[in-house]
Amino acid sequence: QVQVVESGGGLVQPGGSLRLTCVASGSGFGGDRWGWYRQAPGKQREMVATVTSGGTTDYAAAVEGRFTISRHNAKNTMYLEMNSLKPEDTAVYYCNVRRFYAPVYNYWGQGTQVTVSS
């Protein structure tokens, strides 16, 4: 059974930094896309950044230039380095592990809270 676990959230002042980590247990990962998504109160979940197993990255316009996504395939681990944080970055951040072709899989973590406030 695959488990996806996020960590690293917390309370930070505007302009500060945080590093989120996502670890997926199990094996058989590959040829997939890992991503960070976030959901603020009263809003829909939105994509923050994604990275393929080949290293191709994609960022939401709101975080481009401030956040950096990376992954370590051998360790089944993904990171999100968040700098210059703003109050509007406050949300629950979720890790997603997804493969679009056989064997298809789509796993979500339980989320980690990030709060940006003075």
Side-chain angles (χ1 to χ4, degrees):
Q1 175 123 7
V2 173
Q3 277 193 314
V4 176
V5 180
E6 306 95 335
S7 62
L11 173 64
V12 62
Q13 291 188 342
S17 299
L18 279 176
R19 187 195 200 203
L20 304 184
T21 300
C22 169
V23 180
S25 64
S27 60
F29 300 109
D32 51 20
R33 187 186 75 188
W34 292 41
W36 289 99
Y37 294 73
R38 67 186 182 186
Q39 187 167 19
K43 295 188 176 181
Q44 289 190 330
R45 189 174 298 189
E46 61 178 5
M47 186 274 283
V48 175
T50 62
V51 58
T52 68
S53 54
T56 301
T57 58
D58 188 27
Y59 293 92
V63 306
E64 184 95 49
R66 299 188 296 122
F67 292 9
T68 302
I69 190 171
S70 61
R71 64 186 276 184
H72 193 304
N73 292 333
K75 294 184 178 180
N76 293 338
T77 301
M78 176 177 65
Y79 308 96
L80 184 68
E81 192 75 37
M82 304 186 294
N83 297 313
S84 302
L85 282 161
K86 304 175 181 180
E88 50 263 44
D89 294 318
T90 295
V92 178
Y93 284 69
Y94 297 91
C95 173
N96 176 247
V97 178
R98 187 171 185 179
R99 180 176 163 119
F100 293 88
Y101 55 93
V104 172
Y105 50 78
N106 187 14
Y107 304 115
W108 289 93
Q110 81 291 346
T112 186
Q113 177 71 46
V114 172
T115 302
V116 184
S117 175
S118 54

